[in-house]
Amino acid sequence: MKGLWAALLGGILATPAAQGETACPAAGLKVGYYLLGGAYEEGRGYDVDLVHELARRLGCKIVQEEAYPRIRVLKMVEHGQLNLATSTIPTADRQKYAWIYPYFYSKNMILLSSHVNARTLDQLLTDPAVKWGLVRGYRHSPEQDAFLEQLAKRGKVVMANDERDLYAMLSQRIITAAFALPLSYDRWLNSPALSGQVEVVDLFPTSERVAGGLVLAHSDFSQQQAEQWQAQLQQMIKDGSLRKILGKYLSPDSVARMQP
């Protein structure tokens, strides 16, 4: 009898509840990606590899993964249609409905059509040749977002659905300027069709780098579950796994610039 009780007790202690809450949401992982350079394109990218590796390490099943416009992904997370997203800047509004854990940092540069003469912020605000492209839902540094507000008041902002749309409009001169991250525009800018047509300008030299984070919806993850994802993400940063994943899709210089 003692042996039976010992076996039963051992089985109870071995259950997930006794060991701590599982990191996986009951409904499985429902993932939303954005079109973002090496992060996601046609089902591949470092964000895809990152999510798959975290899911493997934490023993979670992916039941859904699709790419959507950024603003739609965040709305779907907010309303419980998705429970995980990637490459998102933490803001106070977003943190009301999700935990966001940074895993890379980057800085938006200005892509400027070569035929635009303006080379200062004041000139960009007043130059009639400037039409600024902006992807719906994107956030930048506080200084850059304040500059975009001034452009919008002057009717100089044109909305794009995603980065592919943004770059297409810049190639066709529907827009003549845009903020973009080096990790996104490097491959596009170096294509033969764009040689000499677009310049990279930094008019915010003191602007801080912005974070890109993993998004876990409050609706499907408890704080304890989210902390398990954060811990595993930190482990991937420490053991070099994240750097290896980034290196599959980006140049060594880009990877080095993205490190926390």
Side-chain angles (χ1 to χ4, degrees), residues 108-112 116 118-127 130-134 139-158 176-180 201-204 207:
N108 279 292
M109 305 294 283
I110 296 174
L111 301 181
L112 194 62
V116 173
R119 287 297 182 273
T120 69
L121 295 179
D122 287 340
Q123 289 172 352
L124 288 170
L125 287 172
T126 58
D127 189 333
V130 172
K131 286 290 184 181
W132 204 283
L134 174 63
R139 294 292 181 269
H140 311 83
S141 71
E143 297 87 355
Q144 290 170 343
D145 280 337
F147 175 69
L148 287 170
E149 288 181 13
Q150 294 182 64
L151 285 168
K153 290 176 181 178
R154 290 167 168 80
K156 300 174 75 67
V157 171
V158 179
T176 55
F179 284 123
V201 182
D202 184 8
L203 299 181
F204 295 86
S207 179

Side-chain angles (χ1 to χ4, degrees), residues 31-52 62 64-68 86 164 187 245 248-249:
V31 188
Y33 300 108
Y34 320 105
L35 289 173
L36 179 64
Y40 183 92
E41 187 172 5
E42 297 181 352
R44 298 180 65 253
Y46 59 76
D47 275 353
V48 179
D49 289 2
L50 172 64
V51 169
H52 282 233
I62 299 173
Q64 175 186 341
E65 51 182 342
E66 297 287 344
Y68 306 95
T86 54
R164 184 180 295 168
R187 183 170 52 181
I245 287 173
K248 288 174 60 179
Y249 302 95

